[in-house]
Amino acid sequence: MPDIEEAPRAPGRPRSLRVDEAIISATLDLLAEGTSVEVLSIEAIATRAGVGKATIYRRWAGKEALLHDALATLKSAGPEPTGESIRVDLVAMLSQVGPSNHDPRFAKIMPCIIPHLTRSEEHYQAYQDIIEPRRDRIRQVLRRGVEAGELRADLDVELAMTALIGPILVQRVLRWHPDLDADKMPEQIVDLLMGGMKPA
């Protein structure tokens, strides 16, 4: 790969987004190719990105900070609730759970990252920081349903959100059940659980 090292910056000059993207992409490529988090190094990332290690350290304090930002790019912002109905919004949001076309590397990286999250509180918290905005959108839809009377007043929103997301995430990341179609599951799961979430 040709060297894309940026020229020395004048004071106040913004850093190169092209270099940032090359570093992030190199990090994700190495993880997708099977490099474990423990083995992943700044030196390997710099070599793959065609930059010097100093260029990376000017942007990130270390591997942990870079890894956090790289993994964050794997998740798109997700759809905005349309407000058409609670069911429609939930199905649309659950359709974005797990690996998607946003970045095909996601499917290869996440199964390798998940065991690491159980061994590192820092990485677990970083993962929570990444997924919380998307999770909060689903939480808001459920709360809207409660306020509108579409969902039961005593609904445990956190438990309902977990029940909605969990099966789809397990199927898409681990392919837990070979006979289930993960693409059909968002609608199926919502319809299955809506009966228990609606007012009696």
Side-chain angles (χ1 to χ4, degrees):
M1 175 180 292
D3 189 351
I4 62 169
E5 183 70 83
E6 60 189 334
R9 288 186 290 140
R13 177 184 170 189
R15 72 192 201 187
S16 168
L17 291 178
R18 189 165 68 96
V19 174
D20 289 7
E21 291 169 358
I23 294 169
I24 291 290
S25 184
T27 303
L28 296 176
D29 284 344
L30 288 168
L31 290 171
E33 290 167 8
T35 302
S36 69
V37 172
E38 291 84 359
V39 172
L40 185 69
S41 68
I42 293 295
E43 183 175 6
I45 295 169
T47 299
R48 174 64 68 92
V51 303
K53 289 192 294 183
T55 298
I56 296 178
Y57 284 118
R58 281 199 296 270
R59 290 162 163 75
W60 291 277
K63 184 177 79 172
E64 308 303 329
L66 171 54
L67 184 62
H68 178 284
D69 287 355
L71 293 177
T73 67
L74 289 174
K75 297 298 290 180
S76 63
E80 287 286 351
T82 64
E84 179 180 343
S85 74
I86 300 302
R87 181 185 180 281
V88 168
D89 283 344
L90 289 176
V91 170
M93 290 182 170
L94 294 184
S95 295
Q96 299 295 316
V97 170
S100 68
N101 292 331
H102 175 63
D103 193 321
R105 291 173 295 192
F106 184 95
K108 296 179 180 179
I109 291 173
M110 286 313 297
C112 301
I113 291 292
I114 289 173
H116 187 70
L117 301 180
T118 66
R119 300 193 297 269
S120 168
E121 182 61 30
E122 182 178 1
H123 283 99
Y124 174 77
Q125 188 55 55
Y127 172 70
Q128 293 300 317
D129 292 343
I130 291 168
I131 65 173
E132 177 57 24
R134 177 183 293 268
R135 187 165 51 200
D136 193 51
R137 286 189 178 184
I138 298 177
R139 183 183 292 121
Q140 290 174 18
V141 169
L142 292 172
R143 287 174 178 165
R144 191 184 82 225
V146 172
E147 292 169 1
E150 290 187 55
L151 302 179
R152 51 193 291 179
D154 63 347
L155 180 70
D156 186 327
V157 170
E158 299 303 315
L159 183 60
M161 179 173 57
T162 302
L164 287 162
I165 296 173
I168 298 170
L169 188 60
V170 168
Q171 185 65 20
R172 286 188 168 168
V173 173
L174 301 179
R175 292 190 294 177
W176 185 79
H177 196 310
D179 296 331
L180 291 178
D181 185 340
D183 291 334
K184 295 180 180 178
M185 284 184 67
E187 188 169 6
Q188 293 171 333
I189 292 294
V190 171
D191 288 342
L192 180 67
L193 297 181
M194 281 295 283
M197 294 193 295
K198 289 182 176 179

